[in-house]
Amino acid sequence: MTLDKAESGKTYEVESVDLPIGLHIRLEALGMTKGTDIDVTETKEHGTVIMKLRGTRFAVGKGISSHISVKEVAVHEH
Amino acid sequence: MNIDAENERNVKAAAGQPDVTAEAKAAAGQPDMTAEAEAASESLRSKAEAGEPADFAAAADKEEDAAVHEKEETGTYKKTLTIAFAGNPNCGKTTLFNDYTGANLKVANWPGVSVEKKEGAMKYHDDTFKLVDLPGTYSLTAYTMEETVSRNFILSDEVDLIIDIADASALERNLYLTLQLIELGKPVILALNMMDIVEKRGMEIDFHRLPEMLGIPCIPISARTKKGLNILMHAAAHHADSSEKQSPLIHQHTHNKESQSHHQHHHHQQYVMVYSDEIEDKIDAVSVKLKELYPSLTNYRWHAIKELEKDTEIAEKYPLDLPDVIDRSYEDDIITQKYDFIEEVIDECLVNKDTKEAATDRADRILTNRWLGLPIFLLIMAGVFVLTFAVGNAMKGGLEYLLDLFSNAVRSGLASAGAASPVISLLCDGIIAGVGGILTFLPNIFVLFLALAFLEDSGYMSRVAYVMDGVMGRLGLSGKAFIPMILGFGCTVPAIMASRALATRKDRFRTMLITPFFSCSAKLPIYVLFSGMFFPKFAGLAAFSLYAAGFLLGLLVAFLAKLFDKEPYENDLLIELPEYKRPSSHTIFIYVWEKVKDYLTRAGTIIFIASIVMWFILNFGPSGFVGSSMENSFGSLAGKAIVPVFVPLGLGYWQIVVALIAGISAKEVVVSSCAVLFGISNVQSAAGMSKMVTDLSAMGFGPLNAYCLMVFCLLYVPCIAAMATIRRESGSRKYTAFVIVFQLAIAWVVTFIIFQVGRIL
């Protein structure tokens, strides 16, 4: 699945990013590397999401989120 | 270029007079000052690129407490260090810079604000440190302009030391830039900022292990509460000195399986960041080739890494022919391995992470909620405007009283001193009426900017980008484009500058086209005055309807632009949502003070001059001094020539036409001109207003005409300073001309419709 279809409150693992190189590298520099866990905290219609990536929140539009393949991670209780 | 002049400028900038005032000056109609400041940073940049040594010649002040220094003789002090402040956006870099230099740079709690580097100076014991605040960046790639600029500046000989400011509460992401900075090969100190937040959240950082793993000094600080600042500079003074580099302690890269490494080099004793064997082999091979081809290079390792990343800038500057080694871009691997190492560092050095849920998460659950977010935002904005009008109106009585006293005292004083009547008229009816009238709106302006400062500094502003993203998406813009628009309610000039943060040129151009429709604070006096005069019972509502009209029209224009655009819209919103924080009183003070100062400056310069000019063209005509018979003045003759264009808009009065033309210099001038035109010393007072209403009504100018006037003012071209900013930011004369023609056309058409429809009703 892609990130724009994520549900809020769930954790996902990044599988691959399919974006133009500049944007791809920008995301990687923010820590979105393969295998990184991201927590989706808020979602909106149109696929814009708020995610927590390595401790920092970002709002990401559909043009980006729909190009990020993720898989859901089983939530481990604290 | 004149080198001396350049140096002078650089020193001026370094002496704690950074170009933040450029914004204010531009707003005051002196856009050339901004150009000068830009030229200064441009010259620094080129110097940085050329690798010229620092020409900073400032020395310390005699006074102990003065943090801002004037240019003096050098040589009396032991050391002049140039320290670059680098860090992610929102890491508190600018706050720290202000702490040290005493400068008053604007701090913004949303990314993309400090796009230019700012300089300041400070004294540390007997040493003078020159501090350079670089734009906040997440990394140092060659993909964006500011990252390239920062990188080249750091690499230049000018920089002795880098202080990397990291938000300790988001250490994991901040360390990425740290690793990149360390690789540049200059001495780096890591300042871990926001330690107060870290402690509050129950996190702990192992300050013994962290410097061991990173091989650089790590100093905990809090720029906001000014803790650890001395220790940081102490570290800076010593770390820049030490010729022998502190080598990182050996650590095990788990992903590397170091124990099985076949690698012949002892990289782990030399470098902090050691990559996989495959990449290290390639780095070695590329380094050898670089040494052979470009013997004058320094830091081969960094250049080799950049070659492997296929970094456009480095690859062009130092072309290599190594197709076997550089068979693809290794950027992906290099970034991933850096983050792998960062994870190790975090695992070892960060204790108790995420023990408490951040307050930000709780606040965001409501403020960015998919159903509540938008209504809350609209409520907040409505609250801002209600406050602006209510508080402003409550305070204006006192100011009016003072202004009346002053004007009467000047008038009677001059009369008893035997001054000629044109002189009295110039002072009282021209200058005091024009400038003083504008000053009575200061409380409104103050409250508006105070509210905007709260929104920005609390961290809410970037949430607005998310909240408005859905609406903006339908208009073909990302939510980020909404930030300049909100700032436009304050002043169009910084709002247009803020459109830089947008990703594409198309987005920027569209945003610049729409931003002037978001009614700026200079138009506020027009609304307050004319709705107060003609809609006394519904003044607030009338003024609010104009804000709403501008807002909706702006969105409509965006929508039309999207309809004509053939390319499909891709929502590329990507914005950090910083932690919410209690707004700092210092930051708010600086922000509001800058704006108030700007407003006062404008009243003292452009509005002052405009008032005098207006007085002259209204009191003199082809036959000389015309006094009270303004009908024969130059202003009247000029206005009458253009009146036919404005008749269909209900604005066919030469006085109004003259005021509108004068208003292009600054929007407040419409009001100050009216004061001069109608000979009213205090436009906001009850007596002044009723005289103006009587005069206007006698001319046949009623409530409908007043509303049309306000609509026209809302929509027609922004002030000269805003237009100059559009010209500079777009870099296109054609586009600027288009914006001007477009705004004039919209203003004419909309006002025409309102007047004609209103007449029928």
Side-chain angles (χ1 to χ4, degrees):
Chain A
M1 68 179 285
T2 47
L3 187 61
D4 55 313
K5 308 211 169 51
E7 287 170 50
S8 65
K10 289 191 174 165
T11 303
Y12 299 85
E13 186 188 314
V14 178
E15 287 186 314
S16 65
V17 178
D18 174 30
L19 283 166
I21 183 76
L23 205 49
H24 185 168
I25 295 299
R26 246 168 82 205
L27 282 169
E28 281 199 325
L30 295 172
M32 190 179 271
T33 52
K34 199 177 163 227
T36 312
D37 279 359
I38 47 185
D39 300 325
V40 174
T41 56
E42 214 65 60
T43 59
K44 267 180 105 161
E45 75 279 43
H46 306 302
T48 301
V49 299
I50 296 184
M51 60 171 188
K52 213 175 193 178
L53 174 65
R54 298 188 192 258
T56 311
R57 291 164 202 81
F58 291 95
V60 187
K62 187 178 183 171
I64 293 174
S65 61
S66 62
H67 292 96
I68 299 171
S69 301
V70 293
K71 66 167 185 238
E72 202 181 321
V73 178
V75 186
H76 34 257
E77 296 295 320
H78 288 295
Chain B
M1 245 205 224
N2 183 334
I3 300 292
D4 282 330
E6 259 179 64
N7 288 350
E8 188 63 40
R9 278 195 216 120
N10 293 349
V11 169
K12 234 188 273 168
Q17 298 160 350
D19 56 8
V20 73
T21 50
E23 181 184 298
K25 278 176 194 150
Q30 301 163 353
D32 55 326
M33 295 300 286
T34 316
E36 187 191 79
E38 261 175 16
S41 81
E42 189 60 46
S43 81
L44 267 170
R45 202 176 296 159
S46 56
K47 223 170 269 173
E49 273 156 10
E52 284 176 36
D55 56 15
F56 177 70
D61 234 318
K62 295 278 185 290
E63 281 143 49
E64 268 300 310
D65 58 348
V68 179
H69 309 300
E70 299 294 319
K71 187 184 177 184
E72 270 176 37
E73 303 253 313
T74 36
T76 32
Y77 298 108
K78 284 184 219 152
K79 222 168 23 185
T80 303
L81 276 184
T82 299
I83 303 176
F85 276 36
N88 286 187
N90 296 309
C91 67
K93 213 158 43 71
T94 307
T95 308
L96 187 67
F97 184 82
N98 286 348
D99 284 347
Y100 280 127
T101 59
N104 285 341
L105 296 189
K106 183 184 153 187
V107 181
N109 199 5
W110 53 276
V113 172
S114 338
V115 265
E116 282 153 25
K117 59 181 190 293
K118 315 267 163 54
E119 300 187 8
M122 67 167 288
K123 205 179 138 187
Y124 180 77
H125 296 300
D126 286 340
D127 305 332
T128 304
F129 293 169
K130 174 185 167 193
L131 308 183
V132 182
D133 188 22
L134 296 172
T137 56
Y138 294 113
S139 57
L140 292 175
T141 58
Y143 292 104
T144 68
M145 183 65 199
E146 67 260 40
E147 294 191 16
T148 317
V149 169
S150 299
R151 191 169 92 178
N152 287 333
F153 179 70
I154 292 170
L155 281 173
S156 73
D157 290 342
E158 200 174 332
V159 176
D160 301 306
L161 172 84
I162 305 159
I163 293 186
D164 171 27
I165 296 114
D167 174 357
S169 66
L171 194 56
E172 192 168 345
R173 193 204 66 217
N174 280 256
L175 282 180
Y176 181 73
L177 181 68
T178 311
L179 290 184
Q180 287 200 316
L181 288 169
I182 292 172
E183 255 169 13
L184 289 176
K186 288 265 170 87
V188 180
I189 294 179
L190 180 62
L192 289 146
N193 194 14
M194 313 216 183
M195 287 305 293
D196 45 337
I197 295 174
V198 170
E199 277 163 31
K200 213 182 284 169
R201 257 198 247 152
M203 287 150 70
E204 274 177 65
I205 292 171
D206 185 340
F207 277 99
H208 179 69
R209 188 65 183 137
L210 188 62
E212 273 183 2
M213 289 188 84
L214 295 177
I216 54 171
C218 301
I219 317 288
I221 63 161
S222 169
R224 207 146 43 111
T225 58
K226 303 192 189 217
K227 276 192 189 132
L229 302 194
N230 273 328
I231 301 171
L232 180 59
M233 277 306 147
H234 183 82
H238 289 272
H239 192 58
D241 259 0
S242 59
S243 45
E244 82 278 11
K245 263 174 107 188
Q246 193 181 341
S247 57
L249 285 200
I250 319 306
H251 50 260
Q252 292 282 316
H253 278 247
T254 42
H255 69 272
N256 245 4
K257 301 195 176 54
E258 184 67 21
S259 48
Q260 294 150 33
S261 174
H262 66 271
H263 221 268
Q264 68 260 47
H265 299 297
H266 299 291
H267 283 158
H268 280 276
Q269 273 149 34
Q270 286 175 318
Y271 306 112
V272 174
M273 182 61 222
V274 181
Y275 299 93
S276 65
D277 288 343
E278 184 200 3
I279 292 192
E280 286 295 341
D281 285 342
K282 286 181 186 291
I283 291 173
D284 289 345
V286 175
S287 298
V288 168
K289 192 79 183 170
L290 278 171
K291 256 177 226 175
E292 195 184 300
L293 290 174
Y294 308 101
S296 63
L297 261 187
T298 53
N299 195 0
Y300 290 100
R301 184 177 172 84
W302 182 77
H303 283 93
I305 292 170
K306 291 293 132 183
E307 296 278 3
L308 285 173
E309 288 179 352
K310 296 216 166 190
D311 182 281
T312 42
E313 206 200 352
I314 300 299
E316 263 171 41
K317 244 195 224 162
Y318 309 104
L320 285 179
D321 187 27
L322 284 173
D324 297 343
V325 183
I326 314 174
D327 51 347
R328 63 178 174 91
S329 165
Y330 284 87
E331 191 159 24
D332 202 63
D333 312 61
I334 288 169
I335 295 175
T336 307
Q337 290 182 23
K338 275 203 180 90
Y339 266 108
D340 288 343
F341 175 54
I342 290 170
E343 275 175 25
E344 282 178 52
V345 174
I346 294 293
D347 277 348
E348 284 201 37
C349 301
L350 194 66
V351 192
N352 297 336
K353 70 170 170 178
D354 289 341
T355 46
K356 276 186 207 161
E357 188 195 27
T360 297
D361 289 327
R362 288 196 298 274
D364 263 347
R365 211 168 293 152
I366 299 162
L367 293 173
T368 61
N369 181 285
R370 71 189 292 170
W371 308 116
L372 295 175
L374 193 56
I376 290 177
F377 166 65
L378 294 177
L379 264 178
I380 290 176
M381 287 317 285
V384 168
F385 289 118
V386 167
L387 216 66
T388 301
F389 282 96
V391 177
N393 288 351
M395 284 163 76
K396 78 178 186 195
L399 282 172
E400 276 160 25
Y401 179 69
L402 289 176
L403 187 64
D404 264 349
L405 276 186
F406 181 66
S407 178
N408 291 337
V410 171
R411 196 181 291 272
S412 58
L414 283 173
S416 62
S421 73
V423 174
I424 299 178
S425 170
L426 171 63
L427 270 168
C428 295
D429 305 332
I431 296 170
I432 299 179
V435 175
I438 291 308
L439 291 183
T440 57
F441 295 98
L442 195 58
N444 301 78
I445 306 295
F446 174 80
V447 173
L448 177 65
F449 281 112
L450 190 67
L452 284 179
F454 261 92
L455 290 187
E456 278 196 35
D457 199 39
S458 62
Y460 183 68
M461 203 57 108
S462 52
R463 266 78 183 179
V464 172
Y466 171 76
V467 167
M468 287 300 290
D469 191 62
V471 177
M472 297 303 286
R474 282 184 206 117
L475 309 175
L477 283 167
S478 92
K480 220 172 176 177
F482 202 69
I483 295 180
M485 297 177 193
I486 293 203
L487 297 178
F489 285 130
C491 175
T492 310
V493 170
I496 285 178
M497 287 171 150
S499 65
R500 281 182 200 177
L502 298 173
T504 67
R505 193 172 155 86
K506 191 172 83 183
D507 287 4
R508 277 196 293 275
F509 274 31
R510 268 192 209 171
T511 307
M512 281 193 265
L513 182 65
I514 301 161
T515 303
F517 289 123
F518 290 73
S519 188
C520 79
S521 63
K523 294 175 187 166
L524 195 72
I526 305 174
Y527 308 152
V528 173
L529 178 68
F530 281 90
S531 21
M533 287 193 303
F534 288 94
F535 310 97
K537 285 198 184 120
F538 306 102
L541 198 66
F544 189 74
S545 73
L546 288 160
Y547 276 98
F551 184 96
L552 292 174
L553 202 68
L555 299 189
L556 181 70
V557 169
F559 182 69
L560 293 176
K562 189 199 169 202
L563 283 187
F564 286 110
D565 189 15
K566 284 165 198 81
E567 275 175 58
Y569 164 67
E570 279 265 289
N571 183 351
D572 55 359
L573 174 74
L574 177 63
I575 189 171
E576 182 186 342
L577 306 179
E579 297 276 325
Y580 287 111
K581 64 185 181 71
R582 202 184 55 219
S584 121
S585 52
H586 184 66
T587 304
I588 301 264
F589 171 77
I590 291 171
Y591 185 103
V592 176
W593 171 237
E594 282 296 327
K595 302 294 174 182
V596 166
K597 202 169 72 185
D598 175 29
Y599 190 77
L600 292 176
T601 312
R602 228 165 25 198
T605 53
I606 196 156
I607 295 166
F608 177 76
I609 292 164
S611 299
I612 294 176
V613 170
M614 284 302 279
W615 183 85
F616 267 104
I617 65 165
L618 293 171
N619 282 281
F620 286 88
S623 57
F625 185 64
V626 294
S628 53
S629 52
M630 276 185 199
E631 285 287 323
N632 302 318
S633 66
F634 289 121
S636 164
L637 296 175
K640 279 172 187 161
I642 316 171
V643 155
V645 183
F646 286 89
V647 170
L649 314 183
L651 304 174
Y653 308 92
W654 70 263
Q655 293 92 331
I656 300 295
V657 172
V658 168
L660 286 173
I661 293 170
I664 295 175
S665 60
K667 282 291 161 347
E668 300 95 330
V669 170
V670 173
V671 167
S672 65
S673 300
C674 284
V676 180
L677 274 159
F678 295 97
I680 299 157
S681 62
N682 187 348
V683 283
Q684 272 229 75
S685 67
M689 278 195 190
S690 80
K691 178 174 183 301
M692 213 163 137
V693 172
T694 317
D695 287 358
L696 283 167
S697 302
M699 289 158 46
F701 187 97
L704 177 61
N705 305 76
Y707 199 77
C708 287
L709 173 66
M710 291 193 282
V711 170
F712 193 82
C713 286
L714 164 71
L715 302 176
Y716 87 125
V717 285
C719 66
I720 287 179
M723 287 189 277
T725 312
I726 292 175
R727 161 80 183 85
R728 206 171 49 238
E729 294 292 320
S730 66
S732 159
R733 272 205 194 102
K734 222 170 96 189
Y735 175 77
T736 314
F738 165 72
V739 171
I740 292 170
V741 172
F742 177 76
Q743 312 264 9
L744 284 173
I746 289 261
W748 198 91
V749 170
V750 173
T751 317
F752 176 79
I753 294 170
I754 291 180
F755 183 65
Q756 297 303 335
V757 171
R759 233 167 28 157
I760 296 162
L761 300 174

